[in-house]
Amino acid sequence: MKKELTIKVKSKFVNKYKNGYPLIMKDALINQNELDEEGTIIKLVDEKNRFIAKGYYGRQNKGYGWILSQKENAQFDQRFFENKLKMAIQRREAYYNSSDTTAFRVFNGEGDGIGGITIENFDGYYLINWYSKGIYQFREEIIQSLTNLVDYKGIYQKKRFDTKGKYIEEDDFVTGERGQFPILVKENGVQFAIYLNESAMVGVFLDQREVRKTIRDKYAEGKKVLNTFSYTGAFSVFAALGGATKTTSVDLANRSLNKTIEQFSINGIDHEAQDIIVEDVFNYFKYAVRKQLSFDMVILDPPSFARSKKYVFSAEKDYKNLLKEAIVITEDHGIIVASTNCSTFGMGKFKGFIDTAFKESGKKYKLMEEFSLPDDFRTIKEFPEGDYLKVVFIKKLP
């Protein structure tokens, strides 16, 4: 049996939790110093000991755990987790039935009712991401639930709860058969090479699926495309398949070169006809200005926070300046795809950065379309921070 503790909530937070806010925040708790063992069941009560909600203690960069139920007698047992997973899988039925897309998110944390965990399906290989030691205490119930509900080839896991919120290196295989890597999966008919055995990064960020498809189907034809912070080149592959005359992929990580070559090659694209550059994006912008290079499309999808030898980038502070650098090397009538996964600000503020960047650059623009998370990345309105992705297609006007 898991330990259970009653924790009091400060009065100003009570309604927030009654209205379904799922993250247990340190600032909301009165006697949080009683919490010592992650995985402890927490019963939240108000200052008059009236029941509010029930969850678990698990320290994540975001807080002290997650609420799992508004019912006082809820039991967080095998059946509880299996019901949550079953509902999530039913919601993804269209993905399970697609032959065109074989990689998608099956379970999206608090959006599917259990904060601190995500599960993804890569053509029958499942990947569980654990974001705290607290949720990891329920691993047997969760893994058993998954194996009861799906036909799987193999199950892998990533423990992402090192003290700095980083991934813990180890053999990530859980059960089933070990994959022969790379596993090839499909997204809207395009292939990706996936590695579940290499580190926290598997080779593609599934939340950009609709954005990649839009670039391929509507914007890429005949265009010179610059893909910055390119990782394994997924945007470049979709642009090339959409008829781009040339793609240039720039990323600071050494691994990005071979990974990008691989993604082009498995899709039948001659990687030698594309430019793949291992360099700090900020240095590349300066180089492009010096050489008077310009592009018809510039894709900006930086991490929320990044550090290189010379630069520290924080989306909240520096995105506007990143946009200004991109504006300089974008052709008139060209498109900037501005994307951020930073959860500390919303779409309104993001559009404010865009507006300021163009004003300070003395240029006009038109917003073409915008995207947030695809439907397999389910979110709930009670937790707007969970809907972190913001992507805007911007046309630079002459």
Side-chain angles (χ1 to χ4, degrees):
M1 281 294 287
K2 303 265 189 306
K3 197 161 94 176
E4 190 169 309
L5 276 176
T6 300
I7 299 290
K8 286 190 174 170
V9 172
K10 295 173 187 169
S11 56
K12 69 173 182 179
F13 291 97
V14 168
N15 278 342
K16 192 177 177 88
Y17 287 126
K18 281 190 171 164
N19 291 333
Y21 188 76
L23 181 66
I24 300 173
M25 297 176 294
K26 180 184 176 186
D27 296 349
L29 309 179
I30 292 174
N31 53 327
Q32 82 259 27
N33 56 340
E34 290 180 31
L35 293 167
D36 60 346
E37 200 180 318
E38 293 203 38
T40 298
I41 306 291
I42 302 179
K43 190 164 103 173
L44 294 180
V45 298
D46 65 15
E47 294 183 47
K48 292 182 177 157
N49 284 317
R50 288 175 296 207
F51 176 78
I52 302 168
K54 208 168 173 181
Y56 73 88
Y57 170 48
R59 289 176 81 152
Q60 209 174 321
N61 56 354
K62 297 173 178 162
Y64 264 37
W66 295 91
I67 287 171
L68 302 183
S69 178
Q70 304 270 6
K71 297 186 178 129
E72 193 164 359
N73 59 356
Q75 297 296 313
F76 303 140
D77 53 14
Q78 165 76 42
R79 205 171 72 181
F80 175 86
F81 289 105
E82 194 160 321
N83 279 337
K84 293 281 189 199
L85 260 68
K86 188 176 180 181
M87 282 167 67
I89 288 163
Q90 285 168 350
R91 290 185 187 116
R92 276 79 173 174
E93 193 177 357
Y95 289 96
Y96 277 102
N97 292 334
S98 166
S99 55
D100 216 26
T101 294
T102 59
F104 53 92
R105 185 158 286 190
V106 172
F107 196 94
N108 194 42
E110 70 289 336
D112 283 300
I114 306 170
I117 179 179
T118 62
I119 305 174
E120 289 168 339
N121 176 12
F122 296 97
D123 196 23
Y125 285 92
Y126 285 78
L127 176 66
I128 305 172
N129 282 295
W130 311 97
Y131 287 93
S132 72
K133 284 183 187 147
I135 192 64
Y136 191 65
Q137 302 311 310
F138 299 94
R139 65 187 176 279
E140 283 173 19
E141 292 90 336
I142 291 170
I143 290 166
Q144 185 64 57
S145 298
L146 186 61
T147 58
N148 288 352
L149 291 166
V150 299
D151 292 327
Y152 61 92
K153 294 171 186 169
I155 296 175
Y156 282 75
Q157 66 180 7
K158 308 281 182 196
K159 297 181 195 167
R160 305 182 71 143
F161 47 78
D162 185 20
T163 44
K164 296 189 186 71
K166 291 219 169 49
Y167 159 77
I168 297 171
E169 272 306 333
E170 59 179 33
D171 177 18
D172 295 328
F173 177 72
V174 177
T175 188
E177 60 180 68
R178 284 179 182 269
Q180 297 293 311
F181 296 107
I183 300 164
L184 296 187
V185 300
K186 279 194 292 188
E187 176 184 292
N188 292 312
V190 177
Q191 298 208 87
F192 284 129
I194 299 296
Y195 295 83
L196 301 181
N197 61 336
E198 276 194 358
S199 72
M201 306 288 218
V202 302
V204 67
F205 294 111
L206 298 177
D207 54 4
Q208 294 278 12
R209 182 187 309 116
E210 304 298 329
V211 181
R212 286 189 281 265
K213 182 177 189 293
T214 302
I215 287 170
R216 178 191 68 186
D217 296 354
K218 288 171 71 173
Y219 290 94
E221 194 170 349
K223 302 291 197 297
K224 279 188 306 191
V225 177
L226 173 63
N227 178 14
T228 63
F229 309 96
S230 58
Y231 184 36
T232 65
F235 285 119
S236 304
V237 170
F238 270 79
L241 291 171
T245 52
K246 186 173 195 178
T247 67
T248 301
S249 307
V250 183
D251 196 288
L252 182 57
N254 284 318
R255 61 159 191 256
S256 65
L257 177 64
N258 290 334
K259 296 283 191 193
T260 303
I261 289 173
E262 179 178 47
Q263 304 289 31
F264 278 128
S265 303
I266 60 174
N267 286 290
I269 301 161
D270 176 10
H271 66 85
E272 291 182 356
Q274 316 295 328
D275 282 341
I276 306 167
I277 298 166
V278 176
E279 172 151 33
D280 191 310
V281 169
F282 299 99
N283 288 340
Y284 183 80
F285 278 133
K286 289 178 176 49
Y287 165 82
V289 170
R290 273 202 317 276
K291 296 286 184 188
Q292 297 185 320
L293 303 180
S294 62
F295 298 88
D296 306 305
M297 176 183 268
V298 177
I299 299 164
L300 299 175
D301 185 26
S304 294
F305 184 82
R307 173 171 298 193
S308 67
K309 282 183 182 136
K310 280 175 74 174
Y311 301 98
V312 175
F313 175 84
S314 145
E316 191 149 18
K317 291 206 303 289
D318 304 316
Y319 207 102
K320 179 201 76 171
N321 293 333
L322 179 68
L323 274 165
K324 285 167 76 171
E325 303 233 29
I327 290 165
V328 174
I329 58 170
T330 303
E331 292 274 10
D332 286 348
H333 303 291
I335 296 288
I336 296 172
V337 181
S339 172
T340 181
N341 59 4
C342 184
S343 60
T344 57
F345 56 85
M347 184 63 100
K349 190 167 178 183
F350 190 46
K351 285 180 177 170
F353 295 159
I354 294 168
D355 192 59
T356 307
F358 274 88
K359 279 195 176 123
E360 290 181 5
S361 302
K363 300 290 177 187
K364 291 196 160 62
Y365 68 97
K366 181 182 175 191
L367 298 180
M368 303 300 287
E369 47 192 308
E370 61 187 70
F371 293 85
S372 55
L373 289 170
D375 58 4
D376 53 325
F377 282 68
R378 181 181 161 87
T379 58
I380 51 170
K381 65 181 188 308
E382 295 81 7
F383 191 66
E385 306 94 301
D387 197 5
Y388 58 83
L389 184 69
K390 295 163 283 292
V391 185
V392 184
F393 283 64
I394 314 156
K395 180 179 267 193
K396 178 182 170 184
L397 300 175

